[in-house]
Amino acid sequence: MLVNGKTILDVANKHNFAVPAFNISDYAMMNGIFEVCEEKKAPVIIAIHPDELNHLGVDVLPAIISRAHRSTVPVAIHLDHGASYEQVLTAIQAGFTSVMIDGSMLPFDQNVAITKKVVDAAHVVGVSVEGELGTIGKTDDEAEDGTATIIYTDPEDAVRFVESTGVDSLAIAIGTCHGIYPASMKPELKLDLLQEIKKKVTLPLVLHGGSNNPDGEIGESVKLGVNKINISSDIKVAYHNKMREILADPGVREPNTIQPPSIAAMKVVAAHKIELFAAANTAELY
């Protein structure tokens, strides 16, 4: 069931649902995400960004690949926010079936150039590519990279970017932020902008910074054409909050005592996202 991102997202685009891309940062989290997606009969993208990959090490890739081959649902293994051509090549060599090259901080022409370079290399070996146009906000120092001020995706630029690069999916900026929103900050998506982009760009659209946004907005974004939503902070908060609760007992030390309840708490959040994205019971479409 191990496939590339294009295989997973083209079906989502055709049938109007969003595939969850869950960022994992340890082996137990990975197993929990596989379990909940199989229970909900939903395709899944196992996402790992460079900081997570540095923490896990590339030697974990064979284990993830092996687990994906045993899965009962379609799985893509995705490099999230690849920062350079060389980094993406390393990920492809390690076994990722989908990669993102994030040139969103670069001027438009430079973003096009590095994205096309990655596309040309990845497509030769059957790996799909996600590009990004516009910038995602950042709420705190624990979040992935982002900008203080969001630069929204221009629909006409999106058309030119897709035509010039040949990407398989496009991450757009419509108002999301990486991380967990503080009480002083109200998340608000420009759903009218999403509609405009989707009319002009027919390939799968991606929403980064999908954690901590109101369910109503996220659900509506799926109906309006988002086909992949990245979830990192929400599942990590559930996982580690439960772990903190368990570790309040100083006598606890065994992983088999600590991690299963933490995974169970994470799975509740992940299952909710799968339902919200209309991805439950869609594995049968592949």
Side-chain angles (χ1 to χ4, degrees):
M1 298 299 283
L2 179 61
V3 297
N4 65 20
K6 177 176 171 57
T7 299
I8 281 188
L9 295 181
D10 282 354
V11 173
N13 194 12
K14 180 179 178 181
H15 293 276
N16 204 36
F17 65 91
V19 178
F22 291 119
N23 282 79
I24 59 111
S25 52
D26 69 32
Y27 195 80
M29 283 186 73
M30 178 202 78
N31 281 328
I33 290 300
F34 270 105
E35 288 169 8
V36 71
C37 291
E38 290 170 344
E39 289 162 7
K40 304 298 287 184
K41 299 179 182 178
V44 62
I45 295 172
I46 300 295
I48 307 173
H49 64 61
D51 286 347
E52 290 164 336
L53 190 58
N54 286 338
H55 170 67
L56 285 165
V58 293
D59 290 339
V60 78
L61 260 295
I64 301 175
I65 291 167
S66 176
R67 181 64 181 84
H69 281 305
R70 292 189 290 107
S71 180
T72 57
V73 299
V75 181
I77 305 173
H78 178 72
L79 177 70
D80 190 21
H81 289 287
S84 69
Y85 178 72
E86 292 75 17
Q87 194 175 71
V88 169
L89 287 188
T90 298
I92 292 171
Q93 291 167 348
F96 283 83
T97 63
S98 174
V99 294
M100 178 192 187
I101 178 66
D102 184 357
S104 61
M105 303 290 187
L106 300 172
F108 182 84
D109 289 345
Q110 291 181 32
N111 189 359
V112 166
I114 189 171
T115 303
K116 187 177 186 306
K117 186 177 181 181
V118 167
V119 168
D120 289 344
H123 280 183
V124 170
V125 290
V127 172
S128 56
V129 180
E130 175 186 329
E132 182 167 347
L133 191 62
T135 63
I136 310 300
K138 180 176 180 176
T139 61
D140 56 45
D141 291 339
E142 287 285 285
E144 297 165 59
D145 288 342
T147 54
T149 303
I150 295 169
I151 300 173
Y152 292 93
T153 304
D154 180 271
E156 295 299 334
D157 283 346
V159 172
R160 291 197 296 133
F161 185 84
V162 170
E163 291 176 348
S164 299
T165 60
V167 289
D168 302 293
S169 60
L170 179 65
I172 57 172
I174 58 171
T176 52
C177 292
H178 287 138
I180 297 295
Y181 290 91
S184 60
M185 189 175 179
K186 179 186 176 184
E188 188 172 358
L189 303 185
K190 290 185 178 291
L191 296 175
D192 55 340
L193 177 58
L194 167 59
Q195 286 180 287
E196 192 176 349
I197 295 169
K198 193 67 176 185
K199 286 178 183 177
K200 295 177 180 293
V201 178
T202 58
L203 86 178
L205 298 180
V206 178
L207 195 63
H208 284 250
S211 290
N212 204 216
N213 284 271
D215 284 356
E217 281 192 338
I218 293 296
E220 191 64 21
S221 76
V222 174
K223 294 177 183 176
L224 295 176
V226 169
N227 301 122
K228 171 178 175 275
I229 301 179
N230 289 29
I231 298 294
S232 178
S233 298
D234 275 349
I235 58 171
K236 288 173 181 171
V237 166
Y239 181 60
H240 290 114
N241 278 353
K242 189 63 177 178
M243 196 173 289
R244 289 185 185 97
E245 179 185 322
I246 295 165
L247 289 172
D249 178 353
V252 170
R253 63 178 180 274
E254 287 296 328
N256 277 340
T257 305
I258 299 164
Q259 288 184 314
S262 304
I263 291 300
M266 180 195 73
K267 286 173 65 176
V268 170
V269 174
H272 174 69
K273 299 296 183 182
I274 290 167
E275 293 286 351
L276 182 62
F277 301 168
N281 299 310
T282 61
E284 63 190 22
L285 298 172
Y286 292 84

